[in-house]
Amino acid sequence: MSGTSAALKPPADAVKPVRHPDAPAPGELLGSHYEHCFGCGWGQAHGLHLQARAGEGVSVTAEFTVKPAHQGAPGLAHGGVLATALDETLGSLNWLLRVIAVTGRLETDFVRPVPVDTVLHLDAEITAVHGRKIYSRATGRIGGPDGPVAVLAEALFIEVKVDHFIENGRPAEIQAAMADPDQAKRVRAFEVNP
């Protein structure tokens, strides 16, 4: 990326990320972390419906198809939608560490336009961990997983406790998520939302 800010450069004593032993296996579809998430939830009619798969180590791949509802300029994806796709992909990495984390900072480079009806292929990896800070980067390509680069991002996620969501979220949604009898779904509902 061009001109990465100092906030996204891991300190010298940051450590290499370690995949949690209970993380999904490489190739496994991660699924939606929350049904109503704009990025990955199937309960959002105009959402991205982004699907991420666990990769090797602490990496994921994901893709989504740019629909007419996602356009900014005529026939092209809105930059904010592309940033959302990057953020969602980067956020899904935290499930490989089995931590709840929120986006602290996201820097995006828009390299080329992404037309409507294009599949955006995303690759992301965690590069370092320092205390509660998780450093990561992602690349989005068009025309296939090895196609030309369209977008790049670097991010800093901050590990939080579930109290972050309970204290700041809307009570009806928080109570519904907390009442889910599926423990994994209950935990995943709170994994990446800022």
Side-chain angles (χ1 to χ4, degrees):
M1 285 197 45
S2 60
T4 300
S5 72
L8 292 176
K9 292 182 182 169
D13 60 343
V15 297
K16 184 176 178 176
V18 176
R19 182 189 192 102
H20 192 280
D22 295 331
E28 188 176 328
L29 188 63
L30 299 182
S32 171
H33 75 89
Y34 178 56
E35 176 187 356
H36 300 289
C37 173
F38 181 79
C40 67
W42 292 98
Q44 292 286 345
H46 297 296
L48 305 186
H49 303 153
L50 186 135
Q51 294 190 13
R53 291 189 181 278
E56 297 293 330
V58 284
S59 69
V60 298
T61 60
E63 55 184 52
F64 92 97
T65 302
V66 178
K67 302 290 185 191
H70 303 142
Q71 65 188 310
L76 298 174
H78 189 288
V81 168
L82 297 176
T84 300
L86 289 160
D87 184 51
E88 186 67 32
T89 303
L90 290 158
S92 68
L93 288 164
N94 299 311
W95 191 237
L96 301 179
L97 299 180
R98 298 299 288 261
V99 300
I100 300 171
V102 296
T103 310
R105 186 175 188 94
L106 175 68
E107 291 187 14
T108 307
D109 284 342
F110 299 96
V111 179
R112 65 175 23 93
V114 179
V116 169
D117 296 326
T118 296
V119 175
L120 185 64
H121 299 268
L122 298 132
D123 291 297
E125 67 177 339
I126 297 175
T127 58
V129 176
H130 186 259
R132 294 176 43 227
K133 294 180 178 181
I134 302 165
Y135 298 85
S136 54
R137 64 178 167 227
T139 302
R141 298 174 182 272
I142 56 175
D146 298 318
V149 173
V151 290
L152 298 164
E154 289 191 38
L156 170 65
F157 281 78
I158 309 297
E159 185 177 348
V160 297
K161 302 293 183 204
V162 75
D163 292 351
H164 168 87
F165 302 96
I166 294 168
E167 293 167 5
N168 296 294
R170 209 164 61 161
E173 283 86 352
I174 297 297
Q175 289 166 3
M178 295 295 281
D180 194 312
D182 183 329
Q183 182 180 2
K185 281 180 68 179
R186 213 169 37 240
V187 172
R188 288 211 60 212
F190 300 102
E191 80 180 353
V192 297
N193 294 334

